[in-house]
Amino acid sequence: LIWQLTGGAVHSTDPSNASRTMLFDLHTQDWSDEILALLKIPRSVLPRIAPSSAVVGEALPEWLGGSIPIAGVAGDQQAATFGQACFAPGMAKNTYGTGCFLLYNTGSEPIISKNGLLTTIGFQFGNNPPQYALEGSIAVAGSAIKWLRDNIQLIKTSEEISEFAGKVTDSAGVVFVTALSGLFAPYWRDDARGTILGLTQFTKKEHLCRAALEAVCFQSKAILDAMEKDSGKPFKRLRVDGGVCNSDVAMQIQSDILGITVERPAMLETTALGAAIAAGFAVGVWKSFDELYQINSKNKTVFESTYSEEKRASEFKQWNRAIEKACGWIEN
């Protein structure tokens, strides 16, 4: 995009995108000579790496009607992270889309995960030190709702899942492991398959709908637990965005299962907002990080946990039992 917008004058990327190529050294903040040599990739073909928030060039007037500076560059989930104002170490966000993507700001030093997570660059603003993050992804979130709608035809619209799930107080013992594409972090099991357990004559579609939402929330808890183990710090708050978090039922379930506060901003398009924040910071719209914390901070919806510790532990134990049942279906 930068190459096209500048008419080939600028070949550039930022650390968050560069760290996604597996050609980037997280410690030196540059392309890895060792990996480039191994794969026989000449350094000359790769873009230069500039901060996520910095003016890297100008778009040609014929594209946008004027010589607009290009000043905000970031990967999708990293942009959502600072769109959620997760600038300080210990802050985390979860984007509930087709899949789920949790990022946890670990500060200016990378933490190499021992619990099944990815280490990535979060962002770099100007000459400030780069901020690192731990990331955990869930393969199936909103796509499970689509599967129930299109493949099974249990619901007619995606919005109905929240409506039906809200009609029951629990899933009546039903657990739906939504491993329709295997399991990602922190399990990393490509031999897992979608599994519904605990069905009885009492089971209704309301229970299945609730179990589908719970599946997203349980997997999010597994990732956050892994992040706590890697960082050594407990979570107190999770910021959320993405389509699924429009459901009050889903977000209340998430708070209940996590036992922490869940915050949903009024404006949920946080990836686009993050890109705008990076660009605005680079050209002086905002001067300090303190100002950035105020963006999109009004009219938040806050969800507080209503579960006891005993209930939370019991339900997560049952979830982990279901994970064991869902794995091993495909012989390698």
Side-chain angles (χ1 to χ4, degrees):
L1 282 171
I2 296 170
W3 175 267
Q4 295 291 350
L5 287 170
T6 61
V10 178
H11 189 206
S12 177
T13 189
D14 87 304
S16 70
N17 280 299
S19 70
R20 287 322 215 209
T21 64
M22 298 183 74
L23 304 175
F24 184 77
D25 189 317
L26 290 171
H27 300 281
T28 66
Q29 296 293 308
D30 199 1
W31 303 115
S32 167
D33 289 326
E34 181 182 1
I35 299 174
L36 295 184
L38 181 67
L39 299 178
K40 297 182 173 60
I41 298 174
R43 180 180 281 266
S44 60
V45 306
L46 295 172
R48 72 182 180 94
I49 302 169
S52 312
S53 176
V55 178
V56 297
E58 289 188 344
L60 297 177
E62 54 262 38
W63 285 113
L64 302 170
S67 297
I68 307 299
I70 300 170
V73 182
D76 183 9
Q77 298 307 320
Q78 289 93 336
T81 302
F82 51 82
Q84 285 274 33
C86 294
F87 297 115
M91 300 180 74
K93 71 89 192 173
N94 192 6
T95 297
Y96 300 76
T98 302
C100 271
F101 301 90
L102 287 87
L103 266 75
Y104 170 68
N105 186 329
T106 61
S108 58
E109 295 293 331
I111 294 176
I112 306 304
S113 177
K114 298 179 181 179
N115 295 283
L117 305 174
L118 306 178
T119 303
T120 184
I121 296 289
F123 53 87
Q124 183 182 12
F125 274 35
N127 295 322
N128 293 302
Q131 298 293 294
Y132 293 86
L134 287 170
E135 178 173 358
S137 55
I138 297 169
V140 174
S143 54
I145 300 172
K146 183 179 178 182
W147 181 80
L148 288 174
R149 183 194 68 194
D150 299 342
N151 293 35
I152 308 302
Q153 298 181 353
L154 189 70
I155 53 177
K156 293 180 180 179
T157 67
S158 297
E159 291 73 22
E160 278 188 346
I161 193 164
S162 184
E163 176 187 339
F164 287 123
K167 291 181 178 180
V168 290
T169 56
D170 56 45
S171 64
V174 176
V175 180
F176 182 9
V177 180
T178 52
L180 306 178
S181 301
L183 289 169
F184 286 2
Y187 309 105
W188 299 113
R189 295 293 298 262
D190 61 0
D191 62 340
R193 288 296 178 268
T195 310
I196 301 176
L197 300 161
L199 297 174
T200 68
Q201 290 182 338
F202 177 71
T203 303
K204 300 185 294 185
K205 71 177 178 180
E206 287 84 353
H207 299 125
L208 290 172
C209 287
R210 188 174 183 93
L213 295 180
E214 287 179 349
V216 178
C217 299
F218 280 127
Q219 289 176 83
S220 296
K221 175 174 170 53
I223 291 174
L224 286 172
D225 284 354
M227 289 178 171
E228 284 191 348
K229 291 176 183 176
D230 281 331
S231 67
K233 298 177 181 177
F235 283 96
K236 295 181 179 179
R237 190 174 302 268
L238 178 67
R239 298 183 174 187
V240 299
D241 55 75
V244 177
C245 86
N246 281 302
S247 166
D248 287 357
V249 174
M251 292 303 97
Q252 185 59 57
I253 292 171
Q254 185 67 91
S255 180
D256 288 337
I257 287 174
L258 292 176
I260 62 174
T261 301
V262 170
E263 284 186 358
R264 182 180 65 198
M267 206 283 281
L268 297 178
E269 297 300 331
T270 55
T271 293
L273 178 60
I277 288 172
F281 192 78
V283 299
V285 175
W286 300 284
K287 307 293 184 184
S288 71
F289 278 100
D290 289 339
E291 294 178 77
L292 301 182
Y293 285 114
Q294 306 306 313
I295 300 171
N296 202 24
S297 61
K298 295 181 180 179
N299 301 318
K300 286 185 177 180
T301 306
V302 177
F303 300 88
E304 301 287 357
S305 178
T306 61
Y307 279 16
S308 66
E309 285 293 340
E310 292 75 18
K311 182 175 182 179
R312 189 176 302 114
S314 174
E315 291 197 359
F316 194 54
K317 181 180 179 181
Q318 186 180 49
W319 167 259
N320 286 323
R321 288 177 61 209
I323 288 288
E324 293 175 4
K325 303 293 185 182
C327 293
W329 282 98
I330 304 301
E331 293 185 3
N332 294 323

